[in-house]
Amino acid sequence: MSRLLRTALVLLFVASCGGDSKAPRNLDNACSIIAQRPNIYRAMKRTERKWNVPVAVQMAMVYQESKFIRDARTPVKYVLGVLPMGRQSSAYGYAQVLDGTWKEYQRDEGGRGARRTDIKDATDFMGWYMNETRAKTGIPLTDARNQYLAYHEGRTGYLRGSYKSKSWLVRIADEVNARAILYQRQLAACRR
C-alpha cells in the first residue's frame, strides 16, 4: 500500500472518530457527561473564569439547546407534509446560535475562526452573550431561568415580555433552571 493511501486512510479514520454528533449517555448526570467528554468541562471552566457564568448554568443551557450534540440543527419545515422547505431557523451547533448573532459574536469577541461546533467557542459565545444580557437587562449570570428566556427571545423580546404569552417557553425555562440546580449539586459531588 502506498504511503499516500495509508496516510489518507488514517486521516479518514481519525476524522470519523473525532465528532460528537451523538449525545453523551445519561444527560441527567453532570458527572457522567464530563467523564465522557472532559473537553466540555474544560471549555466551561474556561468560560466560567473568563465570563463568570457558572458551569452548571452553561451545562443546563447546552442541554436544552442541543443535548450536547455539536452539529445540532433545527428541524426541517415541510409544505403539505412532504416538500422540504428548509430549516426552521439558522440555529446551529452546541449553543444553537443564529447566523446573525454568531457573526456579531465573531466581530466583537470570537474572531473569524470561531465555530459553533467547537465547544470552546460555543461556551465562550454563551459567556459573552449572557454578560451582554446582564448589562442590558440586569439578569444575574446565576439566574438560569431568565437568562434562558432572554437567550431564546432575544434581549429586546425579553424586555418586552414576549415570553409571557408562551406558557410552553416559561415551562422550559423553569426546566432549565431546575437542571442547572441539579447539575450544580452533582458537580459539587463529582469533584471529590
Side-chain angles (χ1 to χ4, degrees), residues 14-49:
V14 170
S16 69
C17 296
D20 294 331
S21 291
K22 292 185 180 174
R25 293 177 308 282
N26 196 1
L27 291 173
D28 293 328
N29 186 317
C31 301
S32 174
I33 294 167
I34 63 176
Q36 292 171 67
R37 306 243 181 97
N39 61 323
I40 289 174
Y41 184 68
R42 285 191 299 271
M44 290 183 175
K45 281 302 286 183
R46 193 170 105 192
T47 295
E48 183 179 57
R49 284 190 300 274

Side-chain angles (χ1 to χ4, degrees), residues 44 58-68 94 126:
M44 290 183 175
Q58 294 175 62
M59 287 185 84
M61 298 269 284
V62 170
Y63 169 88
Q64 183 58 46
E65 292 300 294
S66 68
K67 305 294 187 277
F68 297 92
Y94 282 112
M126 289 173 64

Side-chain angles (χ1 to χ4, degrees), residues 33-164:
I33 294 167
I34 63 176
Q36 292 171 67
R37 306 243 181 97
N39 61 323
I40 289 174
Y41 184 68
R42 285 191 299 271
M44 290 183 175
K45 281 302 286 183
R46 193 170 105 192
T47 295
E48 183 179 57
R49 284 190 300 274
K50 180 177 178 182
W51 297 106
N52 296 316
V53 178
V55 169
V57 172
Q58 294 175 62
M59 287 185 84
M61 298 269 284
V62 170
Y63 169 88
Q64 183 58 46
E65 292 300 294
S66 68
K67 305 294 187 277
F68 297 92
I69 298 171
R70 70 193 222 33
D71 56 356
R73 292 185 181 273
T74 59
V76 174
K77 293 187 294 188
Y78 293 92
V79 172
L80 303 173
V82 292
L83 299 172
M85 292 299 292
R87 300 208 175 262
Q88 291 177 356
S89 77
S90 64
Y92 179 62
Y94 282 112
Q96 288 295 281
V97 186
L98 298 170
D99 290 349
T101 311
W102 188 253
K103 285 180 179 137
E104 181 183 343
Y105 163 73
Q106 286 178 308
R107 187 179 57 249
D108 291 355
E109 185 66 35
R112 291 181 51 189
R115 295 181 324 241
R116 291 178 273 187
T117 57
D118 183 325
I119 191 65
K120 292 183 303 259
D121 295 332
T123 58
D124 189 64
F125 164 82
M126 289 173 64
W128 169 80
Y129 190 89
M130 293 167 91
N131 271 271
E132 292 284 314
T133 298
R134 182 186 61 183
K136 292 177 178 157
T137 67
I139 302 170
L141 298 173
T142 55
D143 184 349
R145 179 188 186 274
N146 286 301
Q147 280 284 352
Y148 182 75
L149 288 170
Y151 193 83
H152 188 277
E153 296 295 281
R155 296 178 198 108
T156 304
Y158 176 83
L159 290 170
R160 277 196 322 254
S162 62
Y163 61 90
K164 292 177 183 174

Side-chain angles (χ1 to χ4, degrees), residues 164-183:
K164 292 177 183 174
S165 63
K166 300 174 182 175
S167 59
W168 61 271
L169 179 58
V170 172
R171 178 183 48 79
I172 289 173
D174 289 338
E175 290 172 8
V176 169
N177 191 60
R179 184 166 294 276
I181 293 166
L182 172 70
Y183 282 164

